Amino acid sequence: MRRLKGMGIPGTLVIAALFMCGFASLLTLTQDYRYGDRQYAWLADSFLHGRMDIDPVFLESGTTAIDTVVRDGKYYWPLGPLPAVLLMPLAALFGPEGQLQAAAQVSAVILAWIAAYALVRKSGFGGADAAWLTVAFAFGTMFIGVAMYPLPWYLANVIAVLASLAALIESRGRNRPELIGILIAAAFATRLTAGAVGAAYFFVRELLAAGPFRARLVRIARFASPVALALIALGWYDAARFGSPFDNGYRDSLLNPGGLAVDRERHGIFSLTYVGRNVRQYFLAPPRIIDGFPVPDKHGYSAVLMAPAFLWIFAAKRRMPDLVPVAAATALALAIFMPFYSGGASQFGPRYLNDVLPYWFILLLAVFRERGLGRAPKAVIALSAAANLALVGLYAVFNLMNPS
């Protein structure tokens, strides 16, 4: 592999160093250095015992009951149940405590890295460029922010990303609509927004595909069938917990006093009042300078600063077949996230954007497939990945010193 211009070091060494640093950070930081929240492991244990609520004994051993929903004196977890279902065999073998959830997160992150590499190769890149682009995805985006910390919210982000990447890989391979639908259904069962964004991308992609219109409608129906079944199952799950298939409990989940709780009480879950704040937090917020060091604000840090290599997607040409489907997915994501009362709360970078990140990635691949992955993009990838890894460490130290 060629040397980076002006850096005098082989590209293979850069990639190897970044992945070694990333893997070391993953193993280190996903040990519960501060948090005791293992809600998915606890929910898996509840499922094994035929119940849908979380035993309050577990919540007492955690740091908080934030985001749980209290109904009739019982604590429920409002996020999608699929991660808990996947953890059930391990919870049966090893119990719900310990490092079960952190181990699952490490495994899911590594699988996501592998899936990103496989997607790049399926998109026609050689091994060297595929490694560079996998580094861009793994460490040069907001994905790094959900990969490195053992929290249930972040585990849901990682599993949803993995399901979306797998669906994109299948679409570049045998392209079976039922299997793509199953994978998007898995995203729905983990994070509703991730499923909705994925469904928008594949619906528009199939609608605009070549071939007879009737054949396209048949493929859309085949894709939609497992998605519909998943939504019906989720509706049953919510009805069994809260009495309505349209109530997932999120509108009255527990929050810390002040801040988001006040906003939600005054303006509701969705309001145009939140748009300005969210635009700043998602795309404009710089790091804070504390004792001379740049530390990302845990309430908002610019996706542009985290993922500068992805600015190349604006070089996409109108004739690129992925452009309109990705635009549709992005429009839906922003329509949901910008007026939403929470920007992701305590986080490293705008974690909600992970729901649309795999689709931005596929457009980025289309751009570089046409333009080639030159020295400038590789330099940006290397520098942004290294900077993000360094900031992850500073962010961890800052959170330890400032737990509020």
Side-chain angles (χ1 to χ4, degrees):
M1 188 180 298
R2 293 180 179 177
R3 294 172 180 265
L4 283 179
K5 183 178 181 181
M7 296 179 67
I9 50 179
T12 49
L13 183 59
V14 173
I15 292 171
L18 287 168
F19 268 112
M20 287 176 65
C21 290
F23 188 67
S25 300
L26 179 64
L27 292 180
T28 301
L29 294 175
T30 50
Q31 304 312 303
D32 287 355
Y33 69 95
R34 172 186 159 203
Y35 297 98
D37 295 276
R38 304 181 181 95
Q39 281 86 336
Y40 276 120
W42 300 332
L43 186 58
D45 182 75
S46 292
F47 288 164
L48 288 170
H49 290 88
R51 55 193 292 183
M52 296 182 182
D53 63 307
I54 294 177
D55 192 324
V57 172
F58 292 135
L59 294 175
E60 291 169 4
S61 67
T63 54
T64 81
I66 291 300
D67 271 356
T68 59
V69 179
V70 182
R71 299 282 177 90
D72 299 324
K74 295 180 179 181
Y75 290 84
Y76 295 92
W77 187 238
L79 277 69
L82 181 61
V85 173
L86 296 175
L87 285 175
M88 285 174 66
L90 294 176
L93 289 172
F94 304 110
E97 292 288 35
Q99 297 296 327
L100 174 63
Q101 186 172 276
Q105 185 149 337
V106 170
S107 302
V109 168
I110 293 171
L111 287 174
W113 290 350
I114 294 171
Y117 180 82
L119 179 59
V120 181
R121 293 305 302 271
K122 282 282 188 182
S123 300
F125 290 86
D129 283 351
W132 276 107
L133 289 164
T134 304
V135 166
F137 185 92
F139 308 124
T141 67
M142 63 290 304
F143 183 72
I144 192 174
V146 297
M148 299 298 177
Y149 302 100
L151 296 173
W153 305 269
Y154 298 178
L155 176 60
N157 283 123
V158 172
I159 291 176
V161 166
L162 179 57
S164 299
L165 288 171
L168 288 167
I169 291 169
E170 174 63 22
S171 72
R172 268 65 187 169
R174 296 181 65 181
N175 198 25
R176 292 163 288 188
E178 292 87 357
L179 181 53
I180 294 172
I182 289 170
L183 292 165
I184 296 303
F188 264 115
T190 305
R191 282 183 52 82
L192 285 173
T193 49
V197 169
Y201 171 85
F202 283 105
F203 174 78
V204 174
R205 182 175 183 266
E206 291 292 346
L207 195 63
L208 299 180
F213 183 67
R214 179 181 176 83
R216 284 178 275 163
L217 290 181
V218 169
R219 282 186 58 85
I220 289 173
R222 291 165 61 189
F223 160 77
S225 296
V227 172
L229 290 175
L231 292 176
I232 291 170
L234 289 172
W236 172 86
Y237 178 61
D238 288 336
R241 296 186 300 168
F242 306 133
S244 169
F246 306 107
D247 180 10
N248 63 7
Y250 203 48
R251 71 173 185 270
D252 56 358
S253 58
L254 294 178
L255 298 173
N256 285 323
L260 294 178
V262 173
D263 287 345
R264 191 177 67 179
E265 180 66 25
R266 288 179 178 175
H267 307 294
I269 291 180
F270 290 98
S271 172
L272 294 178
T273 305
Y274 310 131
V275 172
R277 179 190 66 192
N278 285 335
V279 169
R280 289 192 300 273
Q281 290 182 352
Y282 276 71
F283 302 110
L284 303 176
R288 299 168 60 187
I289 305 300
I290 300 178
D291 295 330
F293 292 97
V295 177
D297 190 325
K298 62 183 180 180
H299 299 298
Y301 178 51
S302 168
V304 177
L305 295 177
M306 290 193 76
F310 277 67
L311 293 175
W312 264 276
I313 65 175
F314 291 103
K317 297 181 179 179
R318 291 183 180 180
R319 58 181 173 80
M320 288 182 175
D322 287 306
L323 180 59
V324 175
V326 172
T330 301
L332 179 60
L334 296 180
I336 295 172
F337 297 143
M338 292 302 100
F340 191 58
Y341 80 100
S342 171
S346 182
Q347 58 187 337
F348 176 63
R351 66 182 180 89
Y352 290 167
L353 290 182
N354 281 286
D355 291 345
V356 73
L357 177 61
Y359 306 100
W360 290 350
F361 190 48
I362 204 69
L363 184 58
L364 185 71
L365 297 182
V367 171
F368 285 138
R369 189 169 57 246
E370 182 170 284
R371 297 168 61 96
L373 186 63
R375 292 179 178 178
K378 288 178 181 177
V380 170
I381 289 169
L383 293 172
S384 63
N388 284 338
L389 283 167
L391 287 170
V392 161
L394 290 172
Y395 175 80
V397 171
F398 174 75
N399 277 350
L400 281 171
M401 296 175 64
N402 302 272
S404 61

